[in-house]
Amino acid sequence: MRKALFLGLLAIGLVGISPAQQKKHTTKKEAGVRPEEVRQVILSGFEQDPRFLWKLEQDESQRICSQYPSREAMPAQAIQKVIELENKHITYPQWGIFWGDWKEGKKLAESPRGGRYASYGFSDKPTDKGGNCYACHLIEKGVPGGTMGPQLTGYGKRYGITKENMNTPEGLEKLKTVYKIVYNSWHAFPCSAMPRFGYHGALSPEDVINIATYLLHPESPVNK
Amino acid sequence: MATGTAIVRVPKEAQKGQVIRVQMVITHPMTPTRRDPQTGQEIPGHFLTKLQLFYNDQLVSEMNMGGGVSANPFIALPLKVESSGVIKIVYEDNKGGKWEKTAEITVK
Amino acid sequence: MRKILLTSAVFGLACAGFLGYQTVKAQDQELSPEEEIRLVQEFNRMMAEGINPGELWAEMGKEAFKKYNLDKCDFGLGPGKIEGALAQLPRYFPDAKRVMDLETRIGWCLQKYAGMTPEQVKKFATQCWGKSQCMGEYDAIVMYVSMASNGQKINVNLKDPQVKRMYEIGKQIYYTRLGPWDFNCATCHAGQREARIRATKLWSIDRPGEAGQAVSIFPKYLVRWSQPMTMHYRYAECMRQMRWPTFEPHSDLAVALSAFLYGTANGTEIKVPGIGR
Amino acid sequence: MDRRRFLLLGAVAVAGLTFAPAIKPAFAVSKLEEEIKKRLGVELNAIKETAEIKLTVPTIAESGANVPITVEADIPVEKVERLWIFVDKNPTPWIADVKFTPQNGQVFLSTRIKMGETSNVRAILQLKDGTFVMATKEVKVTVGGCG
């Protein structure tokens, strides 16, 4: 039952993030614009600060996702390919999957600052960290949040995590499931709007476990 | 463009006895005075304190305000017009700035 | 410096709610996200009434336009003619051998007629980026020129192969997943389902008319910074939020995006300045 | 300058300022009551609500920096001395006041105000006969944008 509910939530995530849209993304073939031309225009549009040019290197999954206007328009083969690639891109904390600190997770979930540096102003530093989760998700009751992603209020409660079962193998398995999604959402939802925080190193495995703990822990305000 | 610049907008024409809206927007930071949360010291604000509305040199309305009004404030006030003439706003801030701006109206 | 400090404190005021200090009444929680989206749009409609403070910039822009000899600048309709200029841009300019949008053209003319170096132009164009209550001459010029197209319908000539090429490149960039957060423009601005970022409703390229509503009001006055935002500053801020490197104004990237967005917005009436959060 | 940091400091400041009264014992007067007593010379609970004042504010504001407010009254302007605008939970609840004369023709004001957090907004009319009437509406201040 609980599993069914959770899978339901996953499904909402999958469908909800990019809506049904059957038209094919055909610009590549029709326009006669070569990928190198597009690449060149992209490169022309940024300051040539060698510290950040790595950000413009596209990886294989990004390349696949860029070919389709939405996930619904992706052929099964492409979906499979991304899932395959991204399942290899998950790393776990050194000590394995155990509950972290939800207070640290809360800070990271709230902070919009991570990786948001621009040379022209604002105080964000290249080293700032944060997941900006509230931009897309409603998480704690009464705190303003977005609706791009599924609602996460009472997430742990809905997923059946209790004080009693949280340290059972079953409870830790649930923690691991959420860890994997936050670490690399594309392993489950290829080309989702949700960044692959852990894979890119925007968040460390410890950060990710703290965020998963914030979402699931019975004492976290998310589940009050 | 300096602080204090304004746009005043009224209908070009109105009927005698009609109540029109005098709309205005003024360039001003409108920063409130507040306390530094760390030192507890007062940081002085910079805001408009007073705005007067004149119609043919007669004072019609007077508005007092502080840093609680938004930056580059928009304000609209009513005015009953009897004859063609000049609508003038005079406004000042807490740092000694004083400005005025006029608009004309034709009343039939 | 001090000015920024003070205005920042005011934004702090506005953002207190986000940090969770806000007391939310039981009745508020009963509002569905859909209802909230509707009410926030209502708020935006109310803000749009009256005089838009962005118009203050146009007055300043009129003077700056002359000061920097932009009356010699040809926006595609003849030197100095700005009425309707924004509506037909981007277009191809033989003198520059490049497709240009409005801001790129202004930058080019500032080099040619005001004797600025490319570095000076960039500094001039970005002088208000990352600030608040900043009254920059560049923003003022863009506002002045843009407002001269009010009431006209966007009419980008997509039959011109050069413009069409930039449109297609822009379209591909719109869907290019890139950067350490895996975003593209479509991540936020595509799809049929109405979604919001925090409380802000996102416009979608896939819902008819919304691209037009989004671009036809630029430059747009932002109440959170008490200053207008030009289209290139908008691109820069989107890319900053997408965690891409720092955006370069007047670049081909900007022109390609403008060609795609304004091209998609063809037929929409220009209403400048818009107003928003 | 460090905009983000000041944003945060500002938020903390507001939290401090607005929550201080809540910790006080129940009989303590709020900042709003204090201000109204000081400026109007009357107790807040002595001011009656009236439907004759039409106060138009948004239900939800996407930004507290610029909340549109419009006040209109069915009461003849000849009977009115002054219109006062207050926001209960702002560090300074008093926002503005306008003195009217018969030449105004009508009681009306439209402007934009700052709100630190979700709060009541009050439009209070001071009448020539020395009495006060008021209209109150709540505005929920939320946060928009990517952050």
Side-chain angles (χ1 to χ4, degrees), chain D residues 18-71:
Chain D
T18 51
F19 270 69
I23 313 164
K24 283 185 196 164
F27 56 80
V29 284
S30 70
K31 188 111 194 231
L32 173 79
E33 288 169 301
E34 224 170 76
E35 281 258 322
I36 285 181
K37 177 85 184 157
K38 187 181 93 189
R39 291 180 186 267
L40 278 60
V42 67
E43 300 289 343
L44 174 63
N45 57 23
I47 304 176
K48 270 202 231 97
E49 290 273 343
T50 177
E52 286 178 311
I53 304 174
K54 196 177 150 220
L55 169 62
T56 311
V57 286
T59 312
I60 298 184
E62 194 186 345
S63 161
N66 194 84
V67 181
I69 168 172
T70 300
V71 185

Side-chain angles (χ1 to χ4, degrees), chain A residues 8-26:
Chain A
L9 288 174
L10 291 193
I12 290 167
L14 197 62
V15 178
I17 291 164
S18 12
Q21 193 180 50
Q22 297 307 323
K23 77 173 178 198
K24 202 129 165 49
H25 190 46
T26 46

Side-chain angles (χ1 to χ4, degrees), chain B residues 19 78-80, chain D residues 77-78 101-107:
Chain B
V19 178
L79 175 69
K80 190 175 174 182
Chain D
V77 71
E78 288 77 13
T101 63
Q103 193 64 57
N104 283 111
Q106 189 198 359
V107 176

Side-chain angles (χ1 to χ4, degrees), chain C:
Chain C
M1 219 50 165
R2 164 146 282 198
K3 192 179 262 179
I4 299 167
L5 184 155
L6 290 169
T7 25
S8 304
V10 180
F11 298 129
L13 238 153
C15 285
F18 164 60
L19 293 170
Y21 295 113
Q22 188 176 328
T23 43
V24 177
K25 294 188 175 172
Q27 61 174 69
D28 296 333
Q29 287 171 10
E30 285 164 23
L31 285 175
S32 67
E34 292 74 26
E35 181 75 352
E36 284 195 2
I37 287 182
R38 194 187 63 72
L39 289 167
V40 166
Q41 283 175 287
E42 180 75 31
F43 163 79
N44 277 290
R45 266 194 297 278
M46 288 170 81
M47 268 204 314
E49 287 167 13
I51 308 176
N52 187 317
E55 293 183 35
L56 290 161
W57 271 257
E59 306 232 317
M60 177 192 184
K62 195 175 176 177
E63 288 163 32
F65 187 80
K66 286 204 190 79
K67 181 175 155 192
Y68 294 101
N69 297 321
L70 291 176
D71 43 2
K72 290 184 189 144
C73 184
D74 185 346
F75 293 97
L77 303 170
K81 180 155 169 37
I82 58 168
E83 289 76 22
L86 175 59
Q88 43 94 55
L89 290 169
R91 67 178 289 148
Y92 180 76
F93 289 93
D95 55 5
K97 298 190 179 63
R98 231 184 118 187
V99 177
M100 291 174 158
D101 63 0
L102 177 65
E103 288 183 62
T104 307
R105 187 62 179 173
I106 289 174
W108 188 83
C109 286
L110 285 169
Q111 285 188 49
K112 194 159 166 79
Y113 302 114
M116 288 191 192
T117 64
E119 293 72 32
Q120 285 169 328
V121 169
K122 183 178 171 184
K123 211 174 163 198
F124 189 64
T126 58
Q127 61 186 309
C128 286
W129 291 17
K131 300 202 171 108
S132 53
Q133 187 74 23
C134 174
M135 294 160 201
E137 285 180 311
Y138 175 81
D139 293 350
I141 291 166
V142 178
M143 182 67 79
Y144 169 64
V145 175
S146 300
M147 278 180 72
S149 293
N150 270 340
Q152 303 226 18
K153 286 187 173 152
I154 297 173
N155 183 22
V156 179
N157 182 11
L158 295 174
K159 292 203 177 97
D160 181 324
Q162 304 268 17
V163 178
K164 178 73 173 162
R165 177 178 162 270
M166 285 313 258
Y167 170 95
E168 292 296 347
I169 292 174
K171 184 172 182 182
Q172 292 217 17
I173 292 169
Y174 198 85
Y175 290 99
T176 298
R177 305 291 295 256
L178 204 58
W181 281 39
D182 293 321
F183 287 138
N184 60 11
C185 305
T187 305
C188 294
H189 298 291
Q192 293 300 333
R193 190 179 70 101
E194 277 199 353
R196 60 178 210 211
I197 284 276
R198 292 217 168 77
T200 305
K201 187 196 164 197
L202 296 161
W203 68 270
S204 166
I205 195 96
D206 295 319
R207 288 194 294 268
E210 289 198 0
Q213 284 165 31
V215 301
S216 62
I217 59 168
F218 271 85
K220 179 178 177 182
Y221 181 80
L222 298 191
V223 301
R224 67 181 183 281
W225 295 332
S226 329
Q227 68 184 49
M229 175 182 248
T230 69
M231 206 47 161
H232 284 206
Y233 186 19
R234 178 65 272 173
Y235 296 153
E237 273 296 282
C238 273
M239 287 173 200
R240 186 172 75 91
Q241 296 289 2
M242 288 159 78
R243 276 69 181 175
W244 290 9
T246 306
F247 172 75
E248 191 78 54
H250 306 167
S251 57
D252 274 347
L253 173 57
V255 174
L257 286 173
S258 290
F260 176 55
L261 291 173
Y262 282 88
T264 305
N266 265 349
T268 318
E269 186 185 326
I270 292 172
K271 285 181 185 156
V272 175
I275 190 163
R277 176 185 71 90

